[in-house]
Amino acid sequence: MNILKTLLPEILGVIFGITTIAFAYFLFSLFFLLIEKINHLDMTDNMNPLSIGAIVAITLFIIKEVLEACRKSASKDRKIKALKTILAEEIKLNYWVWKQIESIVKTVKEMPSETLYQIISSTSGTERFEYIRPDGGGGGIFFPEIKDQVFTQLITEIAELDESFYSRSIEYGKGVAELQHLRHWVFDFIHETPKGEHYTEGFCEYALGELPDIKEKFQKLYTECTSETELRHRMR
């Protein structure tokens, strides 16, 4: 399977080259056949060498332009495919953040009002949301950071290549910004418990209302990138 993946670009390149040559031959033959039909006479009997040379030059020019257009189109398609593959991986990472925030929100919504919350950072920089109930029980949820470096770096290039891809990418970017906003609210309305349970309850209701729309934005771009209907996540 790995060998096939390695050789696939070369195989496709050979197929494209053969197809291009065949098309050029067909176009060249069709051009001369058209001239012959128009004149109703043998071409060599009715055209001087200069005219034949001009026709050949024009035909070669047309073939060159067609081949160049095919090359540019193939190059554009490969670039778009590469960008979609890279962006799909970032979507998976951010969908994992989405799932963790949803889990946090649902957990907090079910907890007693006297529950204490805190966010602990490890020496490696990873963060974990933890809660302690009044009865002494509790638990924790991994609290990953949102990734947007790939989107930020690629969005200008995407805009130059494909309008539909760009439109869905922009919507995805809005979803990332909204998810980042919710993540900040976890600190503001849950971690800072002295603000009171009213703020915690308000945050939960707001977050549960926003999360489905964010997921939909992620889903649309993920489908655009992978042709898959099921949105997948990746932890790292």
Side-chain angles (χ1 to χ4, degrees):
M1 182 62 68
N2 291 332
I3 295 176
L4 180 59
K5 289 182 179 180
T6 303
L7 295 178
L8 185 59
E10 285 74 11
I11 295 174
L12 292 177
V14 171
I15 294 175
F16 175 75
I18 294 174
T19 304
T20 302
I21 293 173
F23 177 74
Y25 175 79
F26 170 77
L27 186 64
F28 190 84
S29 302
L30 185 63
F31 188 82
F32 276 96
L33 181 61
L34 179 62
I35 293 176
E36 185 177 356
K37 292 294 183 181
I38 292 175
N39 292 325
H40 297 287
L41 293 171
D42 184 78
M43 186 168 54
T44 58
D45 294 336
N46 294 275
M47 306 182 88
N48 57 46
L50 183 61
S51 299
I52 295 176
I55 292 174
V56 171
I58 293 173
T59 303
L60 291 177
F61 173 77
I62 293 174
I63 292 174
K64 175 180 175 295
E65 290 301 309
V66 170
L67 294 178
E68 181 66 16
C70 291
R71 186 191 67 79
K72 289 182 178 179
S73 177
S75 176
K76 177 182 176 182
D77 290 343
R78 287 195 299 270
K79 182 176 291 187
I80 290 175
K81 184 178 180 180
L83 294 177
K84 287 182 176 181
T85 300
I86 296 171
L87 196 52
E89 292 305 308
E90 183 177 89
I91 297 173
K92 291 179 183 179
L93 292 173
N94 285 330
Y95 183 47
W96 172 241
V97 180
W98 184 96
K99 292 175 74 68
Q100 295 302 95
I101 290 179
E102 180 191 45
S103 180
I104 289 173
V105 172
K106 289 182 176 180
T107 298
V108 171
K109 189 174 177 61
E110 296 174 355
M111 290 298 107
S113 58
E114 298 83 5
T115 301
L116 298 178
Y117 306 102
Q118 58 183 348
I119 295 179
I120 306 298
S121 295
S122 69
T123 55
S124 63
T126 58
E127 294 175 322
R128 178 179 171 85
F129 172 85
E130 295 185 349
Y131 58 94
I132 302 175
R133 296 190 302 269
D135 61 5
I141 301 171
F142 179 57
F143 196 39
E145 294 184 355
I146 292 171
K147 309 293 184 183
D148 64 353
Q149 294 89 343
V150 172
F151 168 78
T152 302
Q153 292 173 2
L154 299 183
I155 189 61
T156 301
E157 191 170 1
I158 292 172
E160 299 172 351
L161 293 172
D162 187 281
E163 183 177 354
S164 175
F165 185 20
Y166 173 71
S167 177
R168 296 196 185 282
S169 297
I170 288 296
E171 289 302 306
Y172 162 75
K174 293 178 181 178
V176 170
E178 292 165 3
L179 190 64
Q180 185 70 272
H181 180 60
L182 291 182
R183 192 177 188 278
H184 290 161
W185 268 33
V186 173
F187 285 92
D188 295 340
F189 292 89
I190 296 179
H191 180 47
E192 298 179 17
T193 50
K195 287 189 174 183
E197 61 182 270
H198 168 72
Y199 292 97
T200 301
E201 181 180 351
F203 163 73
C204 289
E205 295 299 328
Y206 175 80
L208 291 174
E210 291 296 312
L211 284 169
D213 183 61
I214 296 172
K215 181 180 179 179
E216 183 179 0
K217 290 181 171 66
F218 285 14
Q219 174 70 70
K220 287 182 177 179
L221 182 58
Y222 185 75
T223 300
E224 174 83 20
C225 292
T226 65
S227 299
E228 296 178 6
T229 56
E230 182 181 355
L231 183 57
R232 301 183 182 184
H233 71 274
R234 186 163 67 88
M235 295 176 62
R236 57 182 180 274

